[in-house]
């Protein structure tokens, strides 16, 4: 059974069909890239899956259960994680305190009767920092962090709830090429170890073709291709959308 199955998903804004009859699936442990030009509907797709937007129609089956239209908190509690922006305003707090804050705020979003005390959150926060290679920075003020390190911390926080599906909309936005590769490589390593499925968007075709197990392509709200890197690279419709001609992708095969 697929971890996620999207069936005929539709979402319009006024006259704009942002997501138009989109269907695709994600298997267990699969690292799936969603690509497409600006305005193709990628973020709308993400936000209907995570509950921030209500779809007009269609099904979003997570482990067989239709989650379309549920509240974000309920979807998150079922095991669908996503990367959140770490509040950069807490620059005076240390790195580990920032992660603790996130864990405490998440705990409040659940309906658990037993909530771990702050000291347990610190232990858990240190564990998570170690997993993303940030243990040494635990007691540094957050404002000293490089941008790429903030992204690692966002990842640590997203993994805290042990999601079975992780949604990452442009996790490497604003990063230099080397940092992009490092972050996606880290995500892939961590999710492979845990068997987590990932849906992500990424602008760098180099990164997409190197790391994604499979790629799906949106253009003007429609899904126009679904396949592995070689299939997508050779797809005439994809080439037309990206280049307006039959020109092929220039990136090297991984
Ligand atoms: P992408 O993430 O692929 O760049 P989006 O999903 O953000 O694309 O946008 C898809 C289309 O929907 C675009 O035409 C965009 O202008 C429109 N759109 C997205 N969000 C809204 C909104 N909240 N209100 C109105 N139009 C929107
Ligand atoms: Mg977007």
């Amino acid at each position: 059974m697929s971890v996620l199955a999207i069936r005929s998903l539709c979402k319009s804004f006024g006259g704009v069909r942002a997501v138009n009859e989109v269907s695709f699936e994600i298997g267990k442990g699969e690292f799936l890239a969603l690509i497409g030009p600006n305005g193709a509907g990628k973020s709308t797709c993400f936000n209907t899956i995570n509950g921030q937007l209500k779809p007009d129609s269609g099904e979003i089956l997570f482990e067989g259960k239709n989650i379309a239209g549920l509240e974000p908190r309920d979807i998150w509690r079922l095991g669908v994680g996503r990367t959140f922006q770490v509040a950069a305003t807490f620059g005076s707090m240390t790195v580990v305190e920032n992660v603790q804050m996130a864990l405490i705020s998440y705990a409040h979003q659940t309906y658990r009767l037993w909530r771990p005390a702050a000291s347990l959150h610190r232990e858990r926060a240190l564990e998570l920092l170690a997993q993303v290679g940030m243990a040494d920075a635990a007691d540094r003020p957050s404002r000293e962090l490089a941008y790429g390190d903030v992204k690692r911390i966002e990842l640590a926080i997203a993994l805290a709830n042990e999601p079975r599906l992780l949604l990452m909309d442009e996790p490497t936005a604003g990063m230099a090429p080397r940092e992009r590769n490092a972050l996606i490589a880290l995500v892939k390593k961590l999710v492979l170890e845990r068997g987590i499925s990932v849906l992500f968007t990424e602008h760098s075709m180099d990164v997409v073709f190197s790391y994604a197990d499979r790629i799906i392509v949106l253009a003007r709200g429609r899904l126009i291709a679904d396949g592995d890197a070689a299939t997508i690279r050779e797809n005439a419709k994809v080439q037309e959308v990206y280049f307006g001609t039959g020109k092929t992708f220039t990136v090297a095969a991984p």
Side-chain angles (χ1 to χ4, degrees):
M1 188 180 66
S2 301
V3 170
L4 187 76
I6 306 284
R7 308 244 167 90
S8 303
L9 189 67
C10 294
K11 177 69 187 178
S12 295
F13 300 104
V16 179
R17 294 192 164 194
V19 173
N20 196 355
E21 296 286 339
V22 166
S23 302
F24 65 89
E25 300 198 356
I26 307 180
K28 181 166 166 52
E30 201 170 27
F31 205 62
L32 180 66
L34 171 58
I35 67 169
N38 276 337
K42 303 181 297 294
S43 292
T44 305
C45 217
F46 270 92
N47 292 334
T48 50
I49 299 170
N50 70 35
Q52 284 189 301
L53 289 171
K54 309 279 175 230
D56 298 334
S57 58
E59 282 184 336
I60 303 170
L61 301 170
F62 174 61
E63 295 175 342
K65 178 184 160 68
N66 193 5
I67 59 168
L70 294 186
E71 292 300 320
R73 179 184 61 203
D74 295 328
I75 292 172
W76 173 79
R77 282 172 60 227
L78 285 171
V80 180
R82 63 186 169 109
T83 43
F84 288 85
Q85 297 286 310
V86 168
T89 45
F90 295 131
S92 60
M93 292 194 329
T94 65
V95 170
V96 69
E97 282 167 352
N98 257 302
V99 178
Q100 269 174 271
M101 283 285 289
L103 295 179
I104 289 166
S105 113
Y106 280 11
H108 281 284
Q109 289 180 47
T110 69
Y111 301 133
R112 281 184 209 148
L113 290 176
W114 180 81
R115 289 185 184 132
S119 59
L120 286 182
H121 282 301
R122 182 179 162 88
E123 253 172 63
R124 182 80 181 113
L126 287 170
E127 213 177 280
L128 288 163
L129 285 173
Q131 284 167 14
V132 296
M134 292 291 293
D136 291 349
D139 293 314
R140 280 171 47 197
S142 296
R143 65 169 165 268
E144 288 177 7
L145 287 183
Y147 188 69
D149 291 341
V150 173
K151 293 286 172 183
R152 283 170 181 261
I153 289 169
E154 285 175 18
L155 175 62
I157 293 169
L159 292 174
N161 192 43
E162 294 170 12
R164 296 185 297 291
L165 171 67
L166 183 59
L167 306 172
M168 305 180 87
D169 191 4
E170 299 197 35
T172 69
M175 294 176 102
R178 261 188 58 204
E179 279 185 319
R180 279 174 189 253
N181 270 288
L183 185 76
I184 297 296
L186 174 68
V187 174
K188 186 147 185 180
K189 174 180 164 284
L190 291 174
V191 301
L192 267 179
E193 285 167 7
R194 291 165 172 74
I196 300 173
S197 311
V198 178
L199 178 67
F200 74 107
T201 60
E202 166 60 47
H203 279 299
S204 160
M205 288 302 137
D206 274 334
V207 170
V208 168
F209 285 134
S210 305
Y211 293 99
D213 295 323
R214 213 176 95 223
I215 301 163
I216 55 178
V217 188
L218 274 185
R220 295 209 194 102
R222 292 240 180 222
L223 197 92
I224 61 163
D226 181 339
D228 62 15
T231 309
I232 297 299
R233 212 184 264 117
E234 285 157 17
N235 185 295
K237 271 196 250 171
V238 176
Q239 289 168 7
E240 198 184 313
V241 160
Y242 274 92
F243 301 107
T245 66
K247 229 176 102 184
T248 52
F249 285 109
T250 50
V251 293

